[in-house]
Amino acid sequence: MATKHDLILEHIESLPVGERISVRSIAKNLSVSEGTAYRAIKDAENIGLVSTIQRVGTIRIERKLKKNIERLTFGEVVRIIEGDVLGGTAGLDKDLNRFVIGAMTEEAMQRYITPGSLLIVGNRTGAQRLALKDGAAVLITGGFDTDPEIAELADELELPVLRTTYDSFTVATMINRALSDQLIKKDIMQVSDIYMPLEKTQYLQAGEPISSYQTLSEKTGHSRFPVVNKNMRVMGIVTAKDILGKADNQLLDRVMTREPIVVKTNMSVASVSHRMIWDGLEMMPVVEDDLTLLGMVSRQDVMKAMQLVQRQPQMSNTISDQIVGEIVMVDADREGNPLEHPYFKFEVSPQMVNSVGTISFGVLSELLANVAQRSLMIDQRRNTIIEQMNLHYLRLIQLESEIEIHTKILEFGRRSAKLDLEVYIDNVIVAKALVVCQVMERS
């Protein structure tokens, strides 16, 4: 049964971002004591649900994404393998750089054990001792315990000895997956990677006159600036349109656009690109949770970053990469003559089907999205972001079916494109989709 504390956290999480929260209002609305409400709000702040802002109060904020794991520690390994620690707790924050499966003699394994590595082994005391003395941690599989002597040595050397009930192959797969996930996360570009820091950002104070805007605009050649208060919190945005026809001595806080769209450093560049294209924004302030200005990100920087990401190979494959990696473009007939309208082929493999042996709806969606983007790149030489897809699955597409995907560009504009996609098996249409894309600007 959920406690009052849990119910308060659930209530806070259900509130819209930007909603103000107070101990008194929580206590009154949920019929709990103010002490209980206070403790729950503090916990909500610790887990990133709310933030307390000076002279504003406590507000509901977006929960931050987990930070990219720049390193894999032995403590993180314990969590991944659902294990426990038998000794060497002081070394849990040390980095894992490789792992070795101890399915060999001690003499043979000695050449593979290096400081910072992890030996995966069963209940072999000699191998465990050898690993610790050579600077490696130990992971005992099969749920076996270890000798007190090994646990004492681990404590002395501050090298963890871990235990899991899984077998060696399973834990090796789990650790490999964690290392692969690290590489994928590092590939996802965030605002923090590209934004212009505060020292290079041009901004104005809310109490300044319009003449200050004109001076800064002439100096920089820009027409859009964030407006901050004396505490450096973003109050608005001022543009050339805002000051049109206004007196030079009028204050900026009277003419600026209040509550502007802002971004946080932990947001992905893809999500910011989507917003900029959709709303036609040239610049967005980058802020902390309390709206303190950290810098700015420009539309040009975002477009360059997105195009760079799409050109660069990833360090590790995602599920999406595995799906689209099987797509083959057919641009010539059997005699080698070029086709006027190239099409795409794909064979449905066992990993791509659902429990009844037909292609997963998600896999089919991913295929069509990728084909739409590739078609626009071939035909228009433009990168795009999928905005909307209306997919009709007309007939079942079974395991080992070879499908053909034909595309037709219905409309292509400065900001968006619309495509018609048809999926065939043996010249019979089995699926059809209408795809709308956002078109990225050339940088």
Side-chain angles (χ1 to χ4, degrees), residues 79-227:
R79 184 191 63 78
I80 293 166
I81 64 172
E82 301 171 16
D84 57 343
V85 184
L86 302 179
T89 305
L92 288 174
D93 61 346
K94 292 181 178 178
D95 295 347
L96 163 69
N97 52 45
R98 61 178 296 196
F99 64 86
V100 180
I101 297 178
M104 58 190 87
T105 64
E106 291 177 25
E107 184 179 0
M109 74 174 65
Q110 192 161 14
R111 60 182 292 194
Y112 297 103
I113 297 173
T114 57
S117 62
L118 175 69
L119 176 67
I120 302 174
V121 70
N123 58 342
R124 296 170 57 188
T125 305
Q128 295 166 20
R129 184 185 302 107
L130 174 66
L132 291 171
K133 288 185 175 180
D134 284 352
V138 175
L139 171 56
I140 303 172
T141 58
F144 295 108
D145 209 334
T146 191
D147 291 350
E149 170 214 344
I150 299 296
E152 289 173 10
L153 182 60
D155 288 336
E156 179 188 332
L157 299 175
E158 296 186 352
L159 289 168
V161 174
L162 315 176
R163 175 175 60 185
T164 180
T165 56
Y166 292 114
D167 59 78
S168 297
F169 175 78
T170 302
V171 295
T173 302
M174 294 165 84
I175 295 171
N176 248 338
R177 175 61 184 270
L179 291 168
S180 177
D181 285 351
Q182 275 181 261
L183 297 177
I184 292 170
K185 288 180 179 180
K186 287 180 181 179
D187 282 342
I188 298 173
M189 192 171 288
Q190 295 185 323
V191 171
S192 58
D193 298 317
I194 67 165
Y195 81 100
M196 187 179 296
L198 187 61
E199 57 268 20
K200 295 183 179 180
T201 299
Q202 304 292 339
Y203 57 89
L204 293 160
Q205 296 284 339
E208 290 185 281
I210 286 177
S211 57
S212 296
Y213 166 89
Q214 293 168 333
T215 301
L216 187 59
S217 181
E218 289 171 6
K219 178 183 175 183
T220 63
H222 298 149
S223 61
R224 185 180 179 92
F225 304 101
V227 181

Side-chain angles (χ1 to χ4, degrees), residues 14-30:
S14 70
L15 296 175
V17 172
E19 182 90 358
R20 291 191 184 185
I21 299 166
S22 71
V23 170
R24 185 172 297 177
S25 65
I26 292 289
K28 182 179 178 181
N29 293 338
L30 300 182

Side-chain angles (χ1 to χ4, degrees), residues 261-263 272 275-276 281-286 295-298:
I261 300 170
V262 297
V263 296
V272 175
R275 190 65 184 264
M276 281 186 150
L281 302 175
E282 298 298 329
M283 175 275 288
M284 295 174 74
V286 181
M296 60 162 284
V297 62
S298 72

